[in-house]
Amino acid sequence: MRNIRCCNNLNPDRQNKTQQSMAETPAEPQIDCELQPPSNTLSEPQLQSQLHPLSEPQPLPQPDILPQHDTLPQPDTLPQPWPQTLPQPDTLPQPDTLPQPQTLPQPDTLPQPWPQTLPQPDTLPQPQTLPQPDTLPQPWPQTLPQPDTLPQPWPQPLPQPDTLPQPWPQPLPQPQPDSLPEPQLLPQPDTLPEPQPQSEEEVKPWVWTCQRVLLLFLLASSFCASILGLAYYSQQHRPPESTPPASPPCTSPACQRATARLSISVDPFSQPCDYFLFPCGSEGASLSTRGRQRGKGIPLHPQGHKSRAAQAEKERERGRKERETGTDIIEKAPADRMPDRQTALLLTMREILAEDRSSPGNSAKQKACMFYRSCMDTGPTETAGPEPFLRLVHKLGGWAVSGQWNQTDFNSTLSLLMRDYGTFPFFSVYVGKDPNDTQGDKRYIQIDQPDFQIPTEWSSKTQKSKANTQILRLFLASYQRLLSLLGSPSSSTSLHIGLFISLSSELAVAASPLPHRLQQGLLYQRITIKELQTLAPAIDWLGCLQTTFHPHPVSQSDHVLLHNLPYIVHMSRIIGKWLNKHELSGSGPLHTFMVLSLLHTVIPALDSRFTQTERNFSLALGTTEEDVPRWRQCVLQTEKGFDTVLTHLLRETTAYTEAEELIQNVYSSIKSKLPDLRWRDEESRMSVLNKIQSLTPRLSTKNVFSEAELNQLYSKVTIDEHKYFSNYIQSLSLQRQRSSKLFSQTEGDDIWSITPFLSINELVFPMGMFVQPLFHPTYPRAVNFGVLGSLMAKDILHLLLPNIHSQSMSPRSIAECVRYQYLSMTEGPGREEAFSLSSAQQQEMWVQYSALQIALQAYNQSLKKYPGDSSLSGLSHTHLFLTSFTQINCDSDPYHEFMPFEPSFLVTVICGHSDLCPTTLSCPNKPQQHLLGTC
């Protein structure tokens, strides 16, 4: 009755055909058996009798059509609850007599009770011997549809297990192989009965197939992993910002200069471990050597002191070369580095004064520019020689050195020198506030000891000053040279210089250094002019002061401030003694002393022989004065006489709208950051926050004259572009007139101011801060905030929080965090205790780091308010911001000495969050570095 054979008993011909067809058609590799038709064909009544038990539950429509077809019906004609027609366990045949199916449908097209994926070899033991019932009709295996012909809706109408007949759903929840006989076509491994063992030949095809699939899977995974690795590597090591951002480039002349500076500078993010560690003094170092110089120039580093001495020697050598070649200091500075703020302001004024202004007539602007050009043109000055000074001496009544002296009155000559030539031979006079007067803002005339031409040494033992013998020899030689340049006869030169040295030595005895005077309480001693006249009768105090500060009224009852009363009394006594020496009346030592003091004042306007003689004397004394370039001297001298004109010109170039926006954004960022600090107590917190909230930041609105008022103010000034000496003398007179305005000017309201200052409840930012290359209205805001924004934030923190270290714990913790990261990169792990930080260094490190954070936050606030920003060199916003910040890393300020390393290293700390930086800061050749994230 049963004529069912297993797959391993197939006849050879049919088995070969089957294997050939399986090789040609991709079929499931897990099934090696196919369903064979029975050898003995059942008659139709017999077949119906065999199928009759299956049709008893009657859940399927039209079950009697199955035996009437020669082919297996298509899935859309199969009854929906097909699995319910499986025979009950008591009617299933034994496994050894079941026929093998020809092919099985793919798992993804089988009904839901079937598994969606083929079982693994370890979970499906020997699938070749799946038992099938012997009640299937003969045409069944011949036309079993392939998986690709089954329609998609086949699994959806499959009934849930709770709707199946009672015998069927019981084994579904927890099927056990030993409790459920195998259904007709159910290939679930966990519901199959224990199959008969197979031979090794039957298992090998399945094992090799699985191994091939596994090998292909591993190869594909390796290929995908390689592709992902290459993509990640190219992303991390590609040049930063290789793709230009969508921001439009800035093409203004100012931006073109800034772009040129960027083009010749090294991108700090290309080699961060070398760039961010080089010391500020290694301006000549190339990028390849910067990393080797780390530690040099660092105060607390073992190499620091040696580097500073070498740097000082390098500066002296550079000064000697510049004096020999006449090369400008600014021109020798690296082109990729921004100048300090003072130099930037001077460069801006030079550019303004060097313009060929075509103002109508003799306007004040035109006179200021002509004065500057006459200073820069040294040709006429070299040609004139000493004649301009000799004419001036003749105007004063001559002097005894030349043998022609009219024996003018002492106090008359002194008043003339103070009024017209800004020369104060025996004492200095200026205007300022009394720090002890906290109730008002009154200005007083202040009188101090002069700056003697002969250097003196203070003896703490004798409490007196005296000149060194070696210095006196050098001074004698220097002034002999000056008198010879003036054409004085050598026979009388030694006598007059000897009298000058003797008088200077007697006057200097009572002079004392500032610390001693401060300790003795000699500063800011208030006294009336009448009382001063009684204590020092040799000087006509009222006449001299009235002449000097005209038209400001001066009376005997006015108070003046003295800074060394013992010297003033001593000076009056010495002058009286020399005036009464009748044997010296013909030589006029006091008059000669005043004329030589005037010579010292006007030497900058004489030819180079005089300036070189004075410089040689300074070098002989061992002083290392900065060699100021000619253009800087001319700008400073122009400002002394034309300060109101230069202020007006600077105001015309200041972009008030952009400057005010920068000020407000930075100050707002500071106010939002300070509450997040860890304060030591509530009182400190409220004190600082109330102080910050009470101030109003603003741009300086210094009183600026209109153009008509300026022209009227300088109407009596005559400038000759080819006579610098006469222009210089007029400048000295203008300085005296300027001193009378000091009685009403606000403190800090100066054209050369480059830092903010407090004025009652206002935080004032001078116009001198907003100059190129630190700021320009056409710059991308990333440059303005990265450069001037960070400097501005640093200035505010220094000004308003001088004692933040004692008020908050944040400076110490942040400074230690930054120090740890620096040592991790430079010294390696385990060397974090290489040096410690003082309180001043911790505070300065916190100020520098916080200033960078504040400026970046202010820039982001500006972008939110006004989206979009232009770009330079195709850099993104943040990349341009941080790069601009690194270009001012050597900005000179009084607090720079407290930074133990280069401030640009703070960028690496900021970049602890990789999303803030254009690229990941990594050091491939430095295994010791490990950035820990932002502090």
Side-chain angles (χ1 to χ4, degrees):
M1 184 68 181
R2 300 176 179 174
N3 194 13
I4 301 175
R5 295 184 304 169
C6 294
C7 293
N8 54 355
N9 295 325
L10 293 174
N11 59 76
D13 295 337
R14 187 173 184 88
Q15 188 173 5
N16 293 336
K17 292 181 181 181
T18 302
Q19 293 177 356
Q20 182 177 3
S21 62
M22 290 178 64
E24 295 175 353
T25 304
E28 283 298 321
Q30 294 83 350
I31 306 301
D32 287 334
C33 300
E34 60 183 7
L35 193 61
Q36 299 286 340
S39 57
N40 295 329
T41 305
L42 297 177
S43 63
E44 184 173 350
Q46 292 175 340
L47 182 61
Q48 292 179 358
S49 63
Q50 293 290 335
L51 293 175
H52 181 69
L54 296 176
S55 61
E56 289 181 1
Q58 300 298 328
L60 299 175
Q62 301 176 357
D64 54 333
I65 64 171
L66 292 176
Q68 297 176 2
H69 294 278
D70 295 334
T71 62
L72 186 68
Q74 297 299 321
D76 56 346
T77 62
L78 293 176
Q80 181 176 356
W82 171 259
Q84 295 179 1
T85 60
L86 295 176
Q88 298 301 323
D90 54 349
T91 60
L92 292 176
Q94 295 301 321
D96 56 346
T97 60
L98 293 177
Q100 302 300 320
Q102 181 177 358
T103 58
L104 292 177
Q106 296 295 331
D108 52 37
T109 60
L110 296 177
Q112 185 174 356
W114 294 15
Q116 298 298 322
T117 58
L118 291 174
Q120 298 298 326
D122 55 347
T123 61
L124 183 60
Q126 301 176 357
Q128 289 84 353
T129 58
L130 293 177
Q132 299 296 335
D134 56 351
T135 58
L136 293 175
Q138 180 178 356
W140 171 267
Q142 298 176 357
T143 58
L144 186 64
Q146 296 299 321
D148 55 349
T149 62
L150 294 177
Q152 184 65 25
W154 166 260
Q156 284 78 0
L158 187 66
Q160 299 299 325
D162 52 357
T163 61
L164 296 176
Q166 185 64 27
W168 171 255
Q170 293 177 355
L172 286 179
Q174 299 290 337
Q176 299 294 334
D178 54 350
S179 61
L180 179 63
E182 295 179 345
Q184 182 177 354
L185 293 176
L186 191 61
Q188 297 187 8
D190 53 351
T191 60
L192 295 176
E194 187 69 21
Q196 294 182 356
Q198 295 180 344
S199 62
E200 185 177 355
E201 289 77 6
E202 299 176 13
V203 177
K204 281 184 178 181
W206 162 256
V207 174
W208 280 107
T209 301
C210 294
Q211 290 178 350
R212 286 195 298 270
V213 171
L214 182 60
L215 180 61
L216 291 175
F217 175 79
L218 293 177
L219 291 176
S221 301
S222 301
F223 178 77
C224 294
S226 301
I227 295 298
L228 293 176
L230 290 175
Y232 178 81
Y233 180 87
S234 61
Q235 177 69 18
Q236 294 297 321
H237 293 77
R238 66 181 178 86
E241 303 297 331
S242 58
T243 303
S247 302
C250 177
T251 58
S252 67
C255 288
Q256 292 177 3
R257 290 191 290 268
T259 302
R261 185 173 59 252
L262 285 176
S263 64
I264 62 177
S265 62
V266 179
D267 185 1
F269 296 95
S270 61
Q271 300 183 32
C273 296
D274 291 328
Y275 185 92
F276 292 121
L277 297 178
F278 81 96
C280 192
S282 59
E283 62 181 32
S286 63
L287 182 62
S288 60
T289 61
R290 284 175 178 174
R292 304 187 190 118
Q293 297 184 20
R294 64 186 178 212
K296 296 183 180 180
I298 301 175
L300 297 180
H301 199 278
Q303 302 178 4
H305 299 287
K306 182 178 179 181
S307 177
R308 285 186 178 274
Q311 185 64 25
E313 179 61 28
K314 184 187 296 184
E315 292 294 332
R316 288 192 290 270
E317 179 65 23
R318 187 180 70 173
R320 285 192 291 267
K321 291 181 179 179
E322 288 169 353
R323 287 190 296 271
E324 295 173 359
T325 61
T327 308
D328 196 337
I329 291 178
I330 299 301
E331 294 175 356
K332 283 177 65 71
D336 62 340
R337 182 178 300 171
M338 289 186 180
D340 61 87
R341 287 187 276 180
Q342 192 69 63
T343 303
L345 178 56
L346 288 170
L347 288 171
T348 299
M349 299 310 304
R350 179 181 72 167
E351 184 177 350
I352 294 175
L353 293 172
E355 292 181 0
D356 186 12
R357 295 184 174 271
S358 57
S359 302
N362 287 330
S363 65
K365 297 180 182 178
Q366 188 69 24
K367 291 177 180 178
C369 295
M370 291 174 62
F371 181 92
Y372 173 77
R373 289 196 294 268
S374 68
C375 178
M376 292 296 295
D377 186 8
T378 59
T381 301
E382 295 293 330
T383 303
E387 290 302 321
F389 178 74
L390 294 177
R391 288 195 298 266
L392 180 59
V393 172
H394 180 73
K395 184 179 178 180
L396 294 174
W399 63 336
V401 176
S402 63
Q404 299 177 357
W405 178 44
N406 297 334
Q407 296 192 5
T408 55
D409 178 68
F410 169 76
N411 278 290
S412 298
T413 304
L414 179 60
S415 299
L416 187 63
L417 292 178
M418 294 173 62
R419 182 191 68 186
D420 294 338
Y421 306 108
T423 302
F424 304 89
F426 303 101
F427 54 88
S428 61
V429 177
Y430 56 94
V431 177
K433 290 180 59 177
D434 183 3
N436 300 319
D437 184 9
T438 58
Q439 301 298 326
D441 196 33
K442 185 179 179 180
R443 306 304 174 91
Y444 297 88
I445 297 175
Q446 306 194 34
I447 303 174
D448 201 351
Q449 64 188 30
D451 294 326
F452 292 99
Q453 299 180 45
I454 300 179
T456 59
E457 297 177 352
W458 170 256
S459 174
S460 58
K461 183 177 181 179
T462 61
Q463 301 289 298
K464 293 181 180 180
S465 296
K466 65 176 182 178
N468 184 278
T469 304
Q470 181 65 27
I471 294 178
L472 291 179
R473 292 194 183 99
L474 296 173
F475 182 83
L476 178 62
S478 176
Y479 268 72
Q480 284 178 340
R481 169 65 176 166
L482 290 175
L483 291 181
S484 65
L485 291 175
L486 292 174
S488 301
S490 57
S491 58
S492 61
T493 299
S494 299
L495 172 64
H496 292 287
I497 296 177
L499 292 175
F500 179 84
I501 293 176
S502 178
L503 179 57
S504 298
S505 299
E506 289 190 34
L507 291 173
V509 169
S512 57
L514 182 61
H516 173 75
R517 287 181 283 158
L518 181 62
Q519 182 182 6
Q520 297 297 323
L522 300 177
L523 302 179
Y524 299 103
Q525 289 182 315
R526 185 176 299 191
I527 188 175
T528 64
I529 297 179
K530 183 178 181 180
E531 295 172 340
L532 178 61
Q533 189 67 50
T534 304
L535 295 174
I539 305 296
D540 181 11
W541 295 103
L542 181 62
C544 289
L545 296 178
Q546 285 178 340
T547 302
T548 302
F549 295 106
H550 179 78
H552 181 75
V554 179
S555 64
Q556 291 186 349
S557 60
D558 290 343
H559 285 87
V560 295
L561 300 179
L562 302 181
H563 295 280
N564 194 347
L565 180 59
Y567 167 80
I568 298 297
V569 175
H570 174 79
M571 176 265 301
S572 177
R573 185 169 60 251
I574 296 298
I575 291 176
K577 182 181 74 172
W578 283 73
L579 284 174
N580 296 327
K581 285 185 177 182
H582 300 287
E583 68 275 11
L584 300 176
S585 60
S587 59
L590 292 175
H591 185 78
T592 302
F593 186 91
M594 290 188 289
V595 172
L596 289 178
S597 298
L598 177 63
L599 175 64
H600 181 73
T601 302
V602 301
I603 277 182
L606 297 175
D607 64 80
S608 59
R609 297 175 300 170
F610 290 89
T611 56
Q612 187 63 42
T613 300
E614 192 174 56
R615 182 179 294 112
N616 291 338
F617 176 65
S618 299
L619 293 175
L621 294 177
T623 58
T624 55
E625 296 181 357
E626 180 184 1
D627 188 19
V628 181
R630 183 71 181 181
W631 72 265
R632 186 189 289 254
Q633 297 178 23
C634 294
V635 170
L636 292 174
Q637 192 60 46
T638 304
E639 187 274 335
K640 291 179 179 179
F642 297 88
D643 61 310
T644 53
V645 179
L646 265 63
T647 301
H648 181 84
L649 296 176
L650 181 62
R651 187 173 183 271
E652 289 181 343
T653 62
T654 302
Y656 273 76
T657 302
E658 291 78 4
E660 285 286 357
E661 177 189 353
L662 180 61
I663 292 172
Q664 297 301 328
N665 278 306
V666 170
Y667 197 73
S668 175
S669 181
I670 290 178
K671 291 194 296 184
S672 64
K673 178 178 179 59
L674 292 182
D676 298 334
L677 300 181
R678 292 189 301 149
W679 301 96
R680 297 188 181 274
D681 51 64
E682 184 64 20
E683 181 180 357
S684 300
R685 174 180 174 274
M686 294 305 301
S687 174
V688 172
L689 296 184
N690 291 338
K691 182 179 181 180
I692 297 296
Q693 294 293 339
S694 64
L695 295 176
T696 302
R698 67 170 178 86
L699 186 63
S700 174
T701 57
K702 180 180 180 179
N703 295 329
V704 179
F705 293 93
S706 65
E707 190 167 351
E709 293 173 334
L710 287 176
N711 295 337
Q712 178 63 30
L713 182 63
Y714 291 91
S715 59
K716 296 181 180 180
V717 178
T718 303
I719 301 297
D720 190 337
E721 197 166 345
H722 302 288
K723 296 180 179 180
Y724 177 60
F725 187 86
S726 63
N727 297 338
Y728 185 86
I729 296 300
Q730 290 188 78
S731 173
L732 296 176
S733 177
L734 291 173
Q735 292 179 51
R736 193 275 310 165
Q737 298 176 17
R738 176 182 178 180
S739 63
S740 63
K741 299 182 296 183
L742 297 176
F743 290 99
S744 59
Q745 278 190 348
T746 304
E747 183 180 1
D749 206 4
D750 183 12
I751 187 176
W752 300 126
S753 296
I754 54 175
T755 56
F757 58 91
L758 293 175
S759 178
I760 310 178
N761 290 328
E762 291 183 328
L763 182 61
V764 183
F765 295 83
M767 293 181 295
M769 297 180 64
F770 302 90
V771 295
Q772 295 186 65
L774 309 176
F775 174 88
H776 196 269
T778 64
Y779 280 169
R781 281 174 290 165
V783 177
N784 289 334
F785 279 88
V787 179
L788 188 56
S790 58
L791 292 175
M792 189 182 300
K794 183 174 60 176
D795 293 336
I796 297 174
L797 294 177
H798 279 143
L799 179 64
L800 302 182
L801 303 175
N803 301 316
I804 187 62
H805 189 273
S806 62
Q807 297 171 314
S808 172
M809 297 176 288
S810 295
R812 181 180 181 277
S813 60
I814 292 178
E816 290 298 327
C817 175
V818 175
R819 182 190 71 93
Y820 181 81
Q821 294 204 26
Y822 176 78
L823 292 177
S824 297
M825 295 187 65
T826 58
E827 303 292 343
R831 294 291 305 278
E832 289 77 10
E833 301 298 331
F835 66 84
S836 59
L837 300 175
S838 64
S839 298
Q841 290 173 325
Q842 290 176 354
Q843 178 161 325
E844 181 61 21
M845 196 178 299
W846 173 82
V847 168
Q848 298 268 7
Y849 181 65
S850 299
L852 178 58
Q853 288 181 314
I854 289 169
L856 183 57
Q857 178 182 344
Y859 175 57
N860 291 330
Q861 291 176 352
S862 176
L863 286 178
K864 291 180 180 179
K865 187 176 182 180
Y866 304 104
D869 192 11
S870 57
S871 178
L872 295 179
S873 301
L875 301 180
S876 66
H877 297 162
T878 306
H879 192 171
L880 184 57
F881 174 93
L882 296 175
T883 302
S884 301
F885 171 78
T886 61
Q887 291 187 331
I888 53 138
N889 49 25
C890 287
D891 177 55
S892 59
D893 60 69
Y895 302 94
H896 185 75
E897 58 179 304
F898 296 108
M899 278 296 290
F901 49 76
E902 175 58 34
S904 64
F905 174 76
L906 299 174
V907 174
T908 65
V909 186
I910 288 288
C911 290
H913 292 314
S914 58
D915 57 338
L916 293 178
C917 297
T919 184
T920 302
L921 298 180
S922 59
C923 306
N925 298 328
K926 295 180 175 60
Q928 74 275 13
Q929 72 90 22
H930 55 284
L931 292 180
L932 306 178
T934 187
C935 293

